[in-house]
Amino acid sequence: MSGLAIDFRQNGTARRDLPAGAELTAYRAMQEALTNVLKHAGPEAATTVMLGWENRGLQLTVSDDGRGAGAMDNAASGQGLRGMAERVALYDGRVEAEPRVGGGFGVSVFIPYTED
């Protein structure tokens, strides 16, 4: 059997909807982060996805306890994380992707609400 065991956590509730494009960007960011876990973390990596609604917007975090930065060297020079950051920046958001203290890798994405 293949797949990825995920500990999913959600905090808070949205105070309003994100624009459709920002929702798609959040989906694609999560998809890319989970794809990186599958490709680089190793078969026994524990993965946590946290989706948090804050007063200012959506905070999405994907972290694993896998092989970490050494396995990410090729991905870091590729387009996945860079493309994610470019898409999120279109909505004034930010992406942080880095090795975790103690092992593994983490991706944190924040997409703010668009203020009218």
Side-chain angles (χ1 to χ4, degrees), residues 1-7 30-31 33-39 41-49 62-64:
M1 182 169 100
S2 66
L4 182 62
I6 297 173
D7 176 14
M30 184 185 301
Q31 183 180 44
L34 291 172
T35 297
N36 284 342
V37 171
L38 283 170
K39 287 182 178 179
E44 302 298 321
T47 305
T48 301
V49 173
V62 177
S63 59
D64 68 72

Side-chain angles (χ1 to χ4, degrees), residues 12-13 16-17 20-21 24 34 43 46 72 83-84 91 98-99 102:
T13 56
R16 67 180 194 192
D17 291 339
L24 179 60
L34 291 172
M72 292 297 292
M84 179 192 307
Y91 295 96
E98 59 192 5

Side-chain angles (χ1 to χ4, degrees), residues 5-76:
I6 297 173
D7 176 14
F8 177 78
R9 303 173 190 179
Q10 182 172 341
N11 296 316
T13 56
R15 67 177 170 95
R16 67 180 194 192
D17 291 339
L18 291 173
E23 286 182 356
L24 179 60
T25 295
Y27 172 83
R28 294 286 190 194
M30 184 185 301
Q31 183 180 44
E32 178 65 29
L34 291 172
T35 297
N36 284 342
V37 171
L38 283 170
K39 287 182 178 179
H40 306 290
E44 302 298 321
T47 305
T48 301
V49 173
M50 295 193 326
L51 185 116
W53 291 102
E54 302 177 356
N55 287 336
R56 294 182 41 241
L58 173 64
Q59 180 71 51
L60 171 67
T61 305
V62 177
S63 59
D64 68 72
D65 65 355
R67 293 182 292 219
M72 292 297 292
D73 288 343
N74 292 335

